[in-house]
Amino acid sequence: MLSACSKLKDLEWGKHIFKYINGGIVERNLILENVLIDMFAACGEMDEAQSVFDNMKNRDVISWTSIVTGFANIGQIDLARKYFDQIPERDYVSWTAMIDGYLRMNRFIEALALFREMQMSNVKPDEFTMVSILTACAHLGALELGEWVKTCIDKNSNKNDSFVGNALVDMYFKCGNVRKAKKVFKEMYQKDKFTWTTMIVGLAINGHGEEALAMFSNMIEASVTPDEITYIGVLCACMVDKGKSFFTNMTMQHGIKPTVTHYGCMVDLLGCVGCLEEALEVIVNMPVKPNSIVWGSP
């Protein structure tokens, strides 16, 4: 029941069960208290989670990791690190939880530094750790480290599914290596919506507009439904006439409601070819409030 409350983030029911447990009807043990911490942490109630943690007679790595994850999820990353540093014996899950916390706060350098500590501790990372490090490499443009991570993935036989493949493709594109991004994509056995979208956006932002649009056609032919992010890549890859057509099809064919980013792409397309009056008309008639990026596009 507590696990269900955690997944649903149902704090009301979670507190009801917690009260039932405190009534002495159910004997508390390590497993039950760990799930209590996880439930409160998942619901953002870190005072309650910390209270359970502080009153535990015994703790294991799961107890500590749940506290670290909970504080990281609400943005208290330094407090999360304080608890992380106190863990008596860390496993790959606790290391990955802390690394992911840094990623969520855009503290990529610290995420990479922690990964180096993990290596020195001789804790073997799993595919989730590797994806986190590839994400940090992508944001920092750290191609050399990203290449090393790929070598580790190949060498250690980490699960190389679409989850890992997508991170590799994204890393290569953000580091400007289009050739290797395309190579990873070609070698992937499983391709999901995020794989195709990563390719389309990556090709578009690296100046390969025609290839991005061809990739979009292949995505549709493969019966994979695009989402709003896919269409951002498509619109970035277009010239004006095609952009107008895709912008219409986004809603008519796939039921995607345009966001301020999509309108911004259209304004940028029109502005680049000197259609300033039409660009202004798009801004004025937008159903959402234009931001500074939209106004700055023309």
Side-chain angles (χ1 to χ4, degrees):
M1 286 297 296
L2 286 169
S3 294
C5 291
S6 179
K7 293 287 188 297
L8 295 171
K9 293 180 172 54
D10 192 330
L11 181 60
E12 184 178 351
W13 259 105
K15 284 185 173 180
H16 181 75
I17 297 167
F18 182 49
K19 185 178 179 180
Y20 181 83
I21 293 168
N22 283 341
I25 300 172
V26 178
E27 184 179 352
R28 294 176 68 148
N29 57 32
L30 179 61
I31 295 173
L32 186 58
E33 288 174 326
N34 281 346
V35 181
L36 274 169
I37 294 171
D38 181 67
M39 184 275 294
F40 281 126
C43 296
E45 292 288 313
M46 287 310 298
D47 288 342
E48 295 281 5
Q50 190 171 16
S51 176
V52 174
F53 180 84
D54 290 342
N55 289 300
M56 291 175 72
K57 293 180 180 178
N58 299 300
R59 303 185 185 109
D60 61 8
V61 68
I62 297 172
S63 320
W64 288 96
T65 302
S66 296
I67 281 290
V68 169
T69 302
F71 280 118
N73 285 343
I74 63 172
Q76 294 189 31
I77 194 66
D78 293 325
L79 186 55
R81 181 59 188 265
K82 178 183 175 183
Y83 277 99
F84 175 81
D85 288 339
Q86 296 177 56
I87 300 177
E89 189 174 344
R90 305 168 190 139
D91 61 9
Y92 69 90
V93 179
S94 51
W95 283 97
T96 304
M98 193 66 231
I99 289 169
D100 282 343
Y102 279 130
L103 290 182
R104 278 193 291 273
M105 299 301 293
N106 296 326
R107 289 164 65 167
F108 306 112
I109 293 175
E110 286 160 291
L112 294 183
L114 192 61
F115 178 62
R116 291 189 182 97
E117 287 186 41
M118 181 181 183
Q119 290 177 280
M120 289 186 287
S121 299
N122 293 318
V123 177
K124 184 179 178 180
D126 70 349
E127 65 270 18
F128 297 103
T129 317
M130 291 305 200
V131 167
S132 297
I133 298 307
L134 286 170
T135 302
C137 292
H139 283 279
L140 293 172
L143 179 59
E144 186 176 343
L145 180 57
E147 290 274 27
W148 179 84
V149 172
K150 185 181 186 306
T151 301
C152 287
I153 291 170
D154 296 337
K155 181 180 178 181
N156 297 322
S157 299
N158 288 90
K159 189 178 178 183
N160 196 0
D161 56 9
S162 59
F163 184 59
V164 176
N166 293 346
L168 278 167
V169 171
D170 184 58
M171 184 274 295
Y172 278 127
F173 272 131
K174 285 180 178 172
C175 291
N177 197 321
V178 175
R179 181 182 63 82
K180 289 196 173 181
K182 290 162 69 174
K183 183 175 184 293
V184 172
F185 174 80
K186 186 177 180 180
E187 293 172 351
M188 288 175 64
Y189 294 108
Q190 298 176 331
K191 298 179 177 73
D192 57 20
K193 176 180 67 176
F194 303 103
T195 315
W196 290 98
T197 297
T198 302
M199 283 298 297
I200 292 165
V201 173
L203 288 166
I205 64 176
N206 280 278
H208 296 257
E210 289 299 323
E211 286 187 73
L213 295 182
M215 189 66 66
F216 180 70
S217 296
N218 292 338
M219 178 183 185
I220 299 300
E221 287 175 9
S223 300
V224 180
T225 304
D227 62 12
E228 61 272 15
I229 306 299
T230 314
Y231 267 101
I232 290 173
V234 169
L235 293 173
C236 288
C238 288
M239 299 299 286
V240 174
D241 289 340
K242 283 187 176 181
K244 290 179 180 178
S245 176
F246 281 121
F247 189 83
T248 301
N249 290 344
M250 179 173 64
T251 302
M252 299 297 291
Q253 291 186 4
H254 296 111
I256 299 171
K257 186 177 180 180
T259 66
V260 66
T261 307
H262 296 111
Y263 282 105
C265 290
M266 286 305 302
V267 170
D268 188 54
L269 285 176
L270 293 166
C272 285
V273 295
C275 299
L276 299 183
E277 290 186 5
E278 192 173 351
L280 181 60
E281 185 179 346
V282 170
I283 295 174
V284 171
N285 292 316
M286 282 173 58
V288 291
K289 185 178 179 180
N291 58 22
S292 58
I293 297 174
V294 174
W295 280 112
S297 294

